[in-house]
C-alpha cells in the first residue's frame, strides 16, 4: 500500500477513540479506500470522501459484532456528510444511540366548583422522562419515569417508575411484556387510561386485535382510582378503513376492593361482588382533514349502580406540537359512571359526573402546547351542579 488505510482514516477523524475503530475495521476488510484499498498516493482525504467509504461499508452490510459497533461510531461522526450523499441514517441512529430519551415538562391547574361548596384549586408540575433502548432490530425496552410536585406547596417528589416493558415488533404482530400503558382505544379512553403489568399481544392490520392479561393497579391519583391490585384480562378489536373507525372491547377485573367502602360502596347490593365485566365500544367518522365526530359507550355487567358511561365529541382541526401556529378545538358530552370508568382519560372531568365539556389547544412554539377546557354539569350521586376549569402547558424535548 502506498499509504496505509489506517493512518489516513485516523487523520480524518476528530474523535480520539476513533483510531482504534479504524484500525480494526481496516484489518477486517470492512472499510476500503478508492477501490484498490489505497488513497492514491499522498492525496489528502476529505470528510466527504471518508463518508463515501463509510457509505460503501454500510451498503456491504457485512460487519458483525464489534465491527458493526465500530462502523456505527464512524457513521455517527460523518452523519451530516452521509445525509448529503442521500444515505438514510435511520439504521445508523438506531444502532449508534442504543438508548434514546424523550421527555416532557407539564404544568396543570384544576379549578373545581360544586354547588354549595367553596371553589377548590389544584396545581401540579410533572417532569417525565421516556427512555427507550434497542436490543436488536425486533426488540426494544421502553420505560416511563414521572415526578410530580405541587408548586403552591413548594414541595418535592421522588421519581416514580410508571412503566418498564419489552416490546417485540414482527411482521403481523407486536408483543409487549412488563409494566406498560393501558389505554382503552376501543372506547376512546372512556374506561381506562392508566397502567398494568403483564402481557399484550396485538396482531392484524385493517382489523386489529389485542389480547391483554396480568395485574392492574390504579396508580394515577388524578383519576381518583381506588383499586389497589386486581387480576386483569381483556380483548380489544379495532377496525379502521377510510374515514370510519370502530372499536369493541371486553375487560375483566377482579378485586376485593369492589366489596370495600369508599368509591365502590354502592358497587353491588349484596356487597359481595368482587368482579367487573366491562363491555365497551366506539365509532369515529372523519369528515375531512379538519373535523371528526366520535361516540363511545361502556357497561359493567357486575355493578348495580353507576354501571354505564357514554361520551360524544366533535373535533375541529388539530394542535400538532411539531408545527407552531396549529390549533384544535372540541365540544362534547360526558356521562362518566364511577363503577365502569375506572380510570377515564378526561383530565378536566371528574368521575361520577355528567355534563358538557368544551376546550381548545394551541401550539405557540414548536414542541410547546397550551390547552384549556371547561366542564359544566352535575354530580351523579348528589345531583348538585359540578363545574371544572382545566388548563395545561406542556413542553416536549
Amino acid at each position: 500500500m502506498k499509504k496505509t488505510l489506517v493512518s489516513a482514516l485516523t487523520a480524518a477523524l476528530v474523535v480520539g477513540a476513533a483510531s482504534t475503530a479504524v484500525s480494526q475495521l481496516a484489518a477486517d476488510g470492512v472499510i476500503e479506500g478508492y477501490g484498490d484499498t489505497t488513497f492514491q498516493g499522498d492525496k489528502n482525504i476529505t470528510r466527504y470522501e471518508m463518508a463515501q467509504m463509510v457509505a460503501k461499508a454500510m451498503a456491504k452490510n457485512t460487519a458483525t459484532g464489534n465491527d458493526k459497533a465500530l462502523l456505527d461510531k464512524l457513521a455517527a461522526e460523518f452523519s451530516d456528510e452521509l445525509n448529503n450523499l442521500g444515505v438514510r441514517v435511520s439504521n445508523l441512529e438506531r444502532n449508534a444511540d442504543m438508548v434514546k430519551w424523550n421527555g416532557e415538562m407539564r404544568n396543570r391547574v384544576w379549578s373545581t366548583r360544586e354547588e354549595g361548596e367553596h371553589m377548590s384549586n389544584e396545581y401540579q408540575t410533572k417532569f417525565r422522562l421516556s427512555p427507550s433502548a434497542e436490543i436488536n432490530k425486533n426488540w426494544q425496552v421502553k420505560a416511563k419515569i414521572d415526578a410530580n410536585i405541587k408548586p403552591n406547596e413548594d414541595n418535592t417528589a421522588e421519581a416514580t417508575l410508571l412503566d418498564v416493558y419489552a416490546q417485540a415488533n414482527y411482521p403481523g404482530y407486536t408483543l409487549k411484556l412488563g409494566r406498560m400503558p393501558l389505554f382503552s382505544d376501543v372506547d376512546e379512553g372512556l374506561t381506562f387510561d392508566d397502567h398494568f403489568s403483564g402481557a399484550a399481544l396485538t396482531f392484524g392490520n385493517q382489523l386489529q386485535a389485542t389480547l391483554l392479561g396480568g395485574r392492574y393497579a390504579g396508580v394515577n391519583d388524578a383519576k381518583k382510582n381506588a383499586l389497589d391490585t386486581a387480576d386483569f384480562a381483556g380483548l380489544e378489536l379495532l377496525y379502521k378503513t377510510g374515514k370510519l373507525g370502530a372499536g369493541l372491547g371486553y375487560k375483566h377485573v377482579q378485586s376485593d376492593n369492589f366489596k370495600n367502602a369508599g368509591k365502590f360502596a354502592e358497587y353491588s347490593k349484596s356487597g359481595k361482588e368482587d368482579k367487573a365485566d366491562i363491555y365497551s365500544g366506539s365509532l369515529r367518522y372523519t369528515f375531512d382533514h379538519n373535523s371528526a365526530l366520535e361516540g363511545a359507550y361502556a357497561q359493567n355487567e357486575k355493578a348495580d349502580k353507576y354501571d354505564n358511561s357514554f361520551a360524544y365529541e366533535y373535533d375541529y382541526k388539530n394542535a400538532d406540537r411539531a408545527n407552531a401556529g396549529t390549533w384544535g378545538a372540541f365540544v362534547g358530552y360526558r356521562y362518566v359512571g364511577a363503577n365502569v370508568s375506572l380510570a377515564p382519560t378526561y383530565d378536566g372531568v371528574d368521575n361520577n359526573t355528567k355534563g358538557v365539556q368544551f376546550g381548545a389547544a394551541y401550539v405557540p412554539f414548536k414542541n410547546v402546547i397550551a390547552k384549556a377546557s371547561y366542564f359544566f354539569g352535575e354530580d351523579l350521586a348528589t345531583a348538585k351542579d359540578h363545574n371544572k376549569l382545566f388548563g395545561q402547558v406542556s413542553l416536549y424535548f
Side-chain angles (χ1 to χ4, degrees):
M1 268 186 201
K2 299 177 182 178
K3 183 173 177 127
T4 66
L5 180 61
V6 172
S7 61
L9 289 176
T10 303
L13 294 172
V14 297
V15 288
S19 59
T20 302
V22 171
S23 300
Q24 183 63 49
L25 293 174
D28 293 344
V30 175
I31 286 185
E32 300 176 354
Y34 286 105
D36 58 357
T37 69
T38 73
F39 288 106
Q40 299 180 357
D42 295 327
K43 179 180 178 181
N44 292 327
I45 187 172
T46 66
R47 288 183 61 89
Y48 187 79
E49 291 169 329
M50 182 65 241
Q52 288 180 310
M53 296 172 192
V54 172
K56 291 178 182 178
M58 292 171 66
K60 286 171 61 179
N61 198 27
T62 58
T64 59
N66 188 54
D67 283 349
K68 191 174 190 319
L70 296 177
L71 180 61
D72 287 340
K73 290 181 180 179
L74 288 175
E77 166 62 24
F78 294 95
S79 59
D80 290 340
E81 287 79 8
L82 288 170
N83 279 326
N84 291 334
L85 287 169
V87 177
R88 293 190 60 84
V89 295
S90 57
N91 290 336
L92 155 67
E93 293 169 346
R94 185 184 66 230
N95 292 291
D97 298 323
M98 299 299 288
V99 179
K100 295 181 180 293
W101 292 83
N102 294 308
E104 176 188 0
M105 189 184 84
R106 179 189 300 172
N107 296 284
R108 297 192 286 186
V109 58
W110 296 266
S111 183
T112 307
R113 178 66 182 270
E114 188 162 317
E115 184 180 346
E117 302 290 338
H118 293 292
M119 182 178 294
S120 62
N121 297 318
E122 182 180 354
Y123 305 89
Q124 182 194 73
T125 295
K126 179 189 293 290
F127 182 74
R128 169 172 291 173
L129 291 175
S130 301
S132 63
E134 181 180 296
I135 300 174
N136 53 49
K137 67 177 183 178
N138 297 114
W139 283 85
Q140 292 177 301
V141 171
K142 298 184 178 183
K144 184 180 295 181
I145 305 166
D146 274 11
N148 299 317
I149 63 172
K150 295 182 178 181
N152 56 315
E153 298 178 5
D154 195 26
N155 67 342
T156 59
E158 294 182 357
T160 300
L161 181 61
L162 286 182
D163 298 321
V164 56
Y165 62 97
Q167 177 173 318
N169 299 307
Y170 287 94
Y173 73 92
T174 298
L175 176 65
K176 298 178 183 178
L177 300 169
R179 181 169 177 81
M180 67 197 77
L182 172 61
F183 185 87
S184 53
D185 291 288
V186 294
D187 54 43
E188 305 290 346
L190 179 62
T191 56
F192 288 99
D193 184 1
D194 217 321
H195 313 263
F196 85 104
S197 298
L201 176 64
T202 301
F203 53 92
N205 189 5
Q206 193 173 44
L207 176 61
Q208 198 172 78
T210 300
L211 296 171
L212 308 151
R215 295 284 288 174
Y216 171 73
V219 299
N220 195 331
D221 292 337
K223 303 282 192 304
K224 304 296 188 295
N225 195 312
L227 282 178
D228 188 10
T229 57
D231 293 328
F232 176 78
L235 168 64
E236 295 187 336
L237 298 173
L238 283 172
Y239 179 73
K240 294 182 179 180
T241 176
K243 296 182 177 182
L244 181 66
L248 286 174
Y250 166 73
K251 305 291 191 306
H252 174 80
V253 186
Q254 183 169 357
S255 172
D256 284 339
N257 286 79
F258 289 122
K259 299 186 290 186
N260 296 340
K263 174 180 175 181
F264 300 105
E266 300 178 276
Y267 187 77
S268 66
K269 295 175 182 178
S270 68
K272 298 180 180 180
E273 183 61 67
D274 65 349
K275 302 179 183 67
D277 285 331
I278 300 171
Y279 298 87
S280 63
S282 67
L283 284 173
R284 180 178 178 87
Y285 186 79
T286 302
F287 297 97
D288 51 39
H289 65 282
N290 281 330
S291 60
L293 181 65
E294 66 184 26
Y297 179 81
Q299 178 80 39
N300 183 356
E301 295 295 325
K302 297 296 185 180
D304 292 327
K305 198 170 185 180
Y306 311 127
D307 60 345
N308 66 88
S309 295
F310 54 91
Y312 311 101
E313 181 173 310
Y314 173 74
D315 298 321
Y316 183 71
K317 292 193 173 182
N318 179 51
D320 180 3
R321 76 186 194 198
N323 296 306
T326 59
W327 63 277
F330 75 91
V331 60
Y333 182 82
R334 324 292 190 199
Y335 185 102
V336 188
N339 291 335
V340 60
S341 292
L342 301 184
T345 193
Y346 309 119
D347 287 309
V349 179
D350 286 334
N351 219 337
N352 227 40
T353 61
K354 64 177 180 180
V356 175
Q357 184 188 29
F358 61 89
Y362 177 66
V363 182
F365 312 102
K366 183 179 179 180
N367 291 328
V368 177
I369 298 181
K371 61 176 64 174
S373 68
Y374 184 71
F375 172 82
F376 58 95
E378 67 178 50
D379 188 287
L380 294 181
T382 65
K384 291 182 178 180
D385 291 342
H386 188 96
N387 304 326
K388 197 177 195 76
L389 178 66
F390 169 73
Q392 176 176 307
V393 177
S394 293
L395 297 86
Y396 298 89
F397 56 92

